[in-house]
Amino acid sequence: MAARRRGTVIAAGLGAAALGLAACGGGGGGGGGGAAGGTLKVVGSSDPDHIDTSSVYTTWGNLLARQFSRTLFNVKAADNFDDAIKVVPDAASEIPSTGNGGLSKDGRTYTIKLRDGMQWGTNPVRPVVAGDFVRGIKRICNPAKPSGGTAYYTETIQGFSKYCDGFSKVSATSAAAIAAYQNGHQIPGLQAKDDKTLVIKLVNPASDFTNILGLTFSAAAPAEYDKLIPDSPEFRTHTISDGPYRITSYQPNKQITLAKNTAWKADSDPIREQNPDGIQITMGQDSPETVQQQMESGAADLSWDQTVPTGQIPSLKSKPGFKIMDGSSSNPYIVFNTLSPNNGGALGKTAVRQAINYAVDKAATVQIYGGPDVSSVLNQVIPPRSVGYKQFNLYPTPDDSGDPNKCRSMLSGAGYPGGLTLKFPYRVSGNHPKIAQSVQANLAKCGIKAQLTPDTNGTFYSKTLVTPADAKAGKWDIAGPGWVPDWYGNNGRTNIVPLFDGRHYGPNSTNYGGYNNPAVNKLIDQALEAKSVDTASNAWAQADRQIMQDAAVVPLMNQKYPIFHSSRVKNAKYLPQFQGYDYSLIKLQ
């Protein structure tokens, strides 16, 4: 969506796109009744990928971070999809525009004023200042646990790319060295004018820049973080909060507990509340059925990282607490490790990846997730209702059920008549084991042996897929991650750049397979420099087609999101990009 014009005022904040998305299914979202207090009980499988705001990049990790961290802009959870994707001020006092002086006429300079009353939960408490946001953004490309979304900032903020190039050369195991570089190198486009004013200068106008500043990566960071290696085990037990809750206990893969942050002030926070007295996240439940049973019995209130069991969806449709939320996602999809040396570097060859695109029975994967009510087959990178979506299918098969004969023929033509052996790590939670087994069976019909290895959600996204040395060593060949857009509305950038811009491949990159095509990179640049949303949309669509011609991935489905909460939960408000309810708003009965 291009920047909106109202008279002479250009608003930087993006309104909701009219995507026509809603919730369907059983009873409401627990809107009435309930009261503040009590402990919200959340149950699931494993750790978030990261707890450090500079690197967290999973839906459930972001839900956690939202409780103890503040960004300049954000979204407010709501019953209505359009309201829940609208950019609103968080730590900022208002959305910058040319009318209020927050946005220069050329769209390249943002002057952002902080709201009053924000405090760190330190002893003694102290105000959150503009320099804390500078620190938070500078930490995004730290060498220890860099953000998978670094490209959003290197592409937009003046001098940020050069700063990050230098930061990557710093020791990743020395907190002192990391802090020395961070504090000793200034970024021309990122300055704290004073404690209440942040000035950010862009390389080019970016109509989605408030969305970017709304990502958790952009959260304020206290000075105490300079003494810690980002997202290290020590960091995870020393987080400091400027949100309504603070982490009081962290036991890896076992439990995370949160209590109220007494330094937080309700009148300083327009999007969060402080309704539960505490939040208890219990991990170790790899079975969605077990988590569902606990919610229905009242032993748990919400699921942490597990989906509603597919087999129970029909019976749940009439129950209060159940909804199917529409969305726009590629979740899951199959990604190829194009850097793998295995099989003579076969996955680095386009023809091999194209052959495998014909092998997969996508109709079966849709059934695994509950059928057409829940998911629909996806044949391209950009899902419906996202900017740049233009429907096409370069690898059609009968009834979307795969064509093993076509796969075998193409694989033989590519020089692999004897097939391949592929290393296939998969997540043990939710429907992921069934997806892995289904794809394994599909590949077997094509003459490909897939060696399945189980993995937890946390390590899958924090180590297995995001360690370049492991990819280049061939520790994995294919995998089944998922992608939910980092934001909705004007979101052309978020479906392409993090996953397919090869110029940004490196540690923690979400371009898991190291895909890189200069033609795609050029189209990305054209889209980002476009002066209208139509021009940008066309460039994104062209990039989508080129990525699929290269067969960088096998898209599987655009997944709706079934979600359930216990009967105790009231005032459940949804966050589409996190696929969950905002914990801070929930009232318990």
Side-chain angles (χ1 to χ4, degrees):
M1 183 184 301
R4 295 186 176 189
R5 296 181 180 270
R6 294 183 181 178
T8 60
V9 178
I10 304 174
L14 300 173
L19 303 181
L21 304 184
C24 58
T39 298
L40 178 68
K41 294 174 289 186
V42 186
V43 176
S45 176
S46 65
D47 264 357
D49 56 335
H50 307 285
I51 288 180
D52 194 330
T53 55
S54 69
S55 48
V56 63
Y57 215 171
T58 56
T59 52
W60 61 98
N62 273 286
L63 271 174
L64 171 65
R66 182 181 176 90
Q67 311 310 309
F68 68 87
S69 65
R70 302 281 299 272
T71 51
L72 293 164
F73 307 101
N74 217 309
V75 291
K76 185 173 183 178
D79 292 324
N80 177 273
F81 186 94
D82 287 350
D83 289 340
I85 68 171
K86 187 181 300 181
V87 176
V88 297
D90 183 352
S93 61
E94 60 186 350
I95 297 290
S97 70
T98 54
N100 61 29
L103 180 64
S104 62
K105 290 183 178 180
D106 65 1
R108 295 172 188 253
T109 301
Y110 284 72
T111 302
I112 302 167
K113 297 288 187 179
L114 301 188
R115 67 174 66 248
D116 295 329
M118 296 185 298
Q119 299 182 130
W120 290 111
T122 50
N123 187 16
V125 299
R126 66 173 189 271
V128 176
V129 297
D132 296 328
F133 285 96
V134 171
R135 179 182 298 104
I137 295 172
K138 290 173 79 172
R139 294 178 75 252
I140 285 170
C141 56
N142 74 79
K145 291 292 182 181
S147 165
T150 297
Y152 292 142
Y153 305 86
T154 57
E155 289 173 343
T156 53
I157 300 174
Q158 289 183 18
F160 200 75
S161 181
K162 181 179 180 181
Y163 165 84
C164 290
D165 287 343
F167 212 171
S168 67
K169 300 176 177 65
V170 173
S171 170
T173 58
S174 170
I178 291 171
Y181 180 88
Q182 174 188 291
N183 298 326
H185 292 76
Q186 300 306 309
I187 300 170
L190 180 64
Q191 300 291 329
K193 184 177 179 181
D194 53 48
D195 282 353
K196 301 287 289 185
T197 310
L198 194 70
V199 178
I200 305 179
K201 296 182 179 180
L202 306 189
V203 177
N204 293 301
S207 62
D208 56 1
F209 192 59
T210 50
N211 296 90
I212 292 171
L213 291 180
L215 298 176
T216 305
F217 308 135
S218 309
E224 288 83 351
Y225 285 2
D226 289 356
K227 299 177 182 179
L228 304 168
I229 295 174
D231 205 46
S232 61
E234 185 182 13
F235 177 95
R236 290 188 174 206
T237 57
H238 289 83
T239 53
I240 296 175
S241 174
D242 59 347
Y245 293 90
R246 60 187 179 90
I247 297 176
T248 57
S249 174
Y250 167 68
Q251 302 174 62
N253 288 303
K254 292 183 179 179
Q255 194 169 84
I256 303 172
T257 58
L258 296 92
K260 289 183 175 181
N261 174 18
T262 56
W264 177 84
K265 298 179 180 179
D267 59 6
S268 76
D269 195 333
I271 66 170
R272 301 167 189 81
E273 296 177 15
Q274 199 182 52
N275 288 334
D277 288 332
I279 302 168
Q280 178 180 292
I281 300 166
T282 303
M283 296 167 280
Q285 294 290 352
D286 291 334
S287 165
E289 288 78 13
T290 299
V291 173
Q292 182 66 28
Q293 190 278 328
Q294 290 184 26
M295 287 190 291
E296 291 193 43
S297 70
D301 297 309
L302 296 175
S303 171
W304 168 236
D305 60 348
Q306 293 281 28
T307 56
V308 172
T310 299
Q312 296 184 30
I313 290 175
S315 63
L316 288 172
K317 286 181 179 179
S318 61
K319 289 190 176 183
F322 177 76
K323 283 187 175 184
I324 298 177
M325 311 300 290
D326 267 328
S328 178
S329 66
S330 180
N331 186 22
Y333 65 95
I334 301 300
V335 63
F336 298 106
N337 178 6
T338 66
L339 307 177
S340 174
N342 302 331
N343 305 284
L347 293 184
K349 300 176 181 179
T350 302
V352 171
R353 301 192 302 267
Q354 290 175 334
I356 294 174
N357 260 271
Y358 280 105
V360 179
D361 184 347
K362 298 183 181 182
T365 65
V366 167
Q367 289 303 316
I368 288 170
Y369 273 85
D373 284 352
V374 180
S375 300
S376 57
V377 166
L378 184 64
N379 296 306
Q380 59 198 93
V381 169
I382 300 176
R385 306 182 187 93
S386 281
V387 172
Y389 172 74
K390 291 183 180 179
Q391 187 175 9
F392 64 92
N393 183 7
L394 300 184
Y395 309 100
T397 65
D399 300 319
D400 296 309
S401 59
D403 189 339
N405 292 329
K406 177 81 170 178
C407 173
R408 278 183 178 274
S409 174
M410 291 188 66
L411 204 59
S412 180
Y416 297 90
L420 305 167
T421 298
L422 303 178
K423 298 177 182 178
F424 188 174
Y426 69 94
R427 291 175 280 170
V428 296
S429 64
N431 291 318
H432 302 298
K434 293 179 181 179
I435 291 291
Q437 292 159 11
S438 178
V439 173
Q440 181 188 45
N442 298 158
L443 295 178
K445 294 178 181 178
C446 181
I448 298 172
K449 181 180 180 180
Q451 299 174 332
L452 300 182
T453 55
D455 204 352
T456 67
N457 268 330
T459 57
F460 186 79
Y461 283 119
S462 67
K463 184 181 186 300
T464 304
L465 297 191
V466 298
T467 306
D470 289 352
K472 294 171 184 176
K475 291 190 176 181
W476 67 277
D477 293 304
I478 61 173
W483 188 253
V484 177
D486 288 329
W487 63 85
Y488 289 98
N490 187 14
N491 70 344
R493 188 192 303 258
T494 184
N495 281 309
I496 298 290
V497 173
L499 301 184
F500 303 106
D501 191 331
R503 295 167 293 186
H504 304 296
Y505 181 71
N508 247 28
S509 170
T510 49
N511 178 6
Y512 305 116
Y515 170 79
N516 187 26
N517 183 337
V520 170
N521 299 342
K522 184 177 180 180
L523 287 165
I524 288 172
D525 292 341
Q526 289 177 10
L528 295 179
E529 295 167 6
K531 291 182 169 59
S532 75
V533 69
D534 289 341
T535 302
S537 180
N538 185 57
W540 294 127
Q542 290 182 60
D544 189 351
R545 181 171 284 271
Q546 182 62 61
I547 291 163
M548 287 311 303
Q549 286 175 350
D550 293 341
V553 296
V554 183
L556 297 177
M557 68 183 78
N558 173 37
Q559 185 189 141
K560 298 178 184 180
Y561 198 78
I563 189 168
F564 185 85
H565 62 69
S566 77
S567 59
R568 292 204 318 151
V569 170
K570 304 299 176 184
N571 201 46
K573 305 294 184 181
Y574 194 65
L575 291 161
Q577 67 269 56
F578 299 158
Q579 296 185 329
Y581 295 119
D582 190 336
Y583 302 153
S584 74
L585 304 182
I586 288 173
K587 296 179 180 180
L588 298 170
Q589 182 170 281

